[in-house]
Amino acid sequence: NSNALTGSNALLVGPALSLGSIGSNLIPTQSTSGGTVALSNSNDLSGTTTVNSGTLSFTGANGSLAGSDVTVKSGATLNFAPSTASSVTRIKSAALNGSTLSVTGPSFATTDTITGAVTLNTGANTLTVTPGTTGSNTLSAASLGRTAGTGWALVNGVNLGKDSTTT
């Protein structure tokens, strides 16, 4: 794959970087420049991935780190941005620390899955699901929890908790 990036060190990003795949020995993190890393293919990286600043975005129908726990630091963003109708396991778990988890959808029905927990560790976190003009988006996780007394979330979306068969 000509878009594959491999190595054994951290990935520091400037304004923007789009990749199809990353190697299994690379731990993607972001520099303090607040750039964006966009992953469009399924990646086999396992362990913990940390977003220090800026945005880590999983794009397209396949962008994922399904075997990775993702820690999102204060002010950083974890984004799922499907481009077609899809049902994708994006990551293993998410730990939010005064950060944002967002799903921005196309005009198709999509389901973005986190197989483990979303944990609100510290600070004010934001969870946002924004569907496309004619589509619907679902963010699914095994559980939503918080560290006692420290983490909380503002939840934004359309028809939150509404059964799609109810009129």
Side-chain angles (χ1 to χ4, degrees):
N1 182 340
S2 62
N3 279 339
L5 180 65
T6 61
S8 59
N9 297 312
L11 172 64
L12 298 177
V13 177
L17 176 66
S18 294
L19 296 170
S21 301
I22 57 176
S24 60
N25 295 322
L26 188 72
I27 307 299
T29 61
Q30 291 196 264
S31 70
T32 56
S33 68
T36 298
V37 174
L39 299 176
S40 59
N41 290 336
S42 176
N43 292 276
D44 63 359
L45 182 72
S46 60
T48 300
T49 299
T50 301
V51 184
N52 288 316
S53 69
T55 301
L56 175 58
S57 184
F58 297 98
T59 62
N62 299 312
S64 69
L65 286 173
S68 185
D69 300 298
V70 178
T71 298
V72 188
K73 299 290 187 170
S74 180
T77 299
L78 176 60
N79 175 253
F80 303 145
S83 60
T84 60
S86 60
S87 180
V88 180
T89 297
R90 298 289 184 177
I91 62 174
K92 185 176 173 185
S93 69
L96 305 180
N97 300 279
S99 51
T100 299
L101 171 58
S102 66
V103 178
T104 52
S107 295
F108 304 98
T110 65
T111 299
D112 294 288
T113 300
I114 299 170
T115 56
V118 173
T119 304
L120 310 172
N121 283 333
T122 59
N125 299 283
T126 303
L127 305 174
T128 301
V129 179
T130 306
T133 55
T134 60
S136 64
N137 299 99
T138 301
L139 174 62
S140 174
S143 64
L144 174 64
R146 71 181 188 96
T147 303
T150 61
W152 60 278
L154 170 64
V155 180
N156 299 306
V158 177
N159 297 326
L160 294 174
K162 180 180 178 189
D163 182 335
S164 62
T165 61
T166 305
T167 57

